[in-house]
Amino acid sequence: MPTDSLIKTYLQSRYQRLVLNSNYSTSLSDWGEITHGVPQGSVLGPLLFLLYINDLPHSINKNNKIVLFANDTSLIISNPDLINFRDDVNKILQRIHEWFDANFISLNWKKTHFMQFTTKNNFFSTFDIIYKDKKLTTVDSIIFLGLTLDNSLSWKKHIEAIVPKLSAATLAMRVVQSFLF
């Protein structure tokens, strides 16, 4: 079977429905055909999604960067001038919104955050990023590719996040050590 036929059978004739479970009953919606998107939870899903959005970085100017990883997209905008920074943000959000509309994708505003990085010699500028009457949530730290980054680029929050995990792993190794040697 040709490759294009395999991809078509993988992406076409897919259906889904909503199942709501409560303590007293279960409600089911009608089955609906999925006409856009990639199957969630599939092995090929992240690869097909990256192929689908591969041209997104070309929708912004070269001074800024879009980082694509699996289904996460991060936008890095750098401009020391606050007024130009705000203009850059608005222009880029407009371009990204247009690209999303043209490609049948919507931005999940609940998972969209804004973080301003600063240095010891620099101060925070307090302003809101608002696009299409929605305010981006401002955060002081975020998990990016498994690292907890904070707005001062220190390692403090990342270390705080991994110490309990390392302590648990160390304890587990001590407990099983006598069985291994």
Side-chain angles (χ1 to χ4, degrees):
M1 181 179 273
T3 306
D4 60 338
S5 296
L6 288 172
I7 293 173
K8 282 181 184 177
T9 58
Y10 178 71
L11 296 175
Q12 291 178 339
S13 300
R14 294 178 295 119
Y15 294 85
Q16 69 181 16
R17 70 176 175 179
L18 181 65
V19 178
L20 295 173
N21 290 316
S22 72
N23 293 337
Y24 306 106
S25 66
T26 299
S27 300
L28 304 171
S29 70
D30 293 333
W31 285 98
E33 185 172 9
I34 301 172
T35 57
H36 300 292
V38 173
Q40 295 290 311
S42 66
V43 175
L44 287 177
L47 175 64
L48 291 174
F49 180 75
L50 283 174
L51 290 172
Y52 188 72
I53 67 167
N54 192 42
D55 64 332
L56 175 61
H58 300 294
S59 66
I60 66 166
N61 63 27
K62 301 290 183 206
N63 297 335
N64 303 296
K65 183 161 181 73
I66 290 183
V67 179
L68 305 174
F69 182 77
N71 65 345
D72 287 336
T73 304
S74 299
L75 174 60
I76 301 170
I77 302 171
S78 177
N79 195 324
D81 183 293
L82 183 59
I83 294 171
N84 289 335
F85 175 77
R86 283 186 196 169
D87 290 343
D88 283 353
V89 169
N90 287 325
K91 287 176 190 172
I92 290 168
L93 286 175
Q94 178 62 37
R95 287 185 190 135
I96 288 174
H97 181 75
E98 290 168 359
W99 187 93
F100 276 33
D101 280 351
N103 289 280
F104 306 106
I105 297 177
S106 61
L107 185 63
N108 185 340
W109 288 97
K110 291 179 183 176
K111 293 183 177 181
T112 303
H113 309 290
F114 168 71
M115 184 165 66
Q116 179 183 5
F117 294 100
T118 187
T119 62
K120 292 177 185 176
N121 302 332
N122 194 337
F123 64 93
F124 279 101
S125 302
T126 55
F127 61 90
D128 294 329
I129 304 292
I130 298 173
Y131 186 72
K132 299 285 185 189
D133 298 326
K134 294 181 183 175
K135 178 183 165 190
L136 290 180
T137 304
T138 301
V139 295
D140 63 358
S141 68
I142 197 161
I143 297 174
F144 179 73
L145 300 178
L147 297 173
T148 304
L149 299 178
D150 66 16
N151 52 14
S152 65
L153 292 175
S154 74
W155 289 102
K156 185 178 180 184
K157 290 198 178 201
H158 183 69
I159 291 168
E160 289 172 357
I162 64 169
V163 162
K165 295 175 186 176
L166 292 172
S167 295
T170 304
L171 176 63
M173 289 182 351
R174 274 194 234 139
V175 168
V176 298
Q177 179 182 12
S178 61
F179 299 108
L180 298 176
F181 300 107

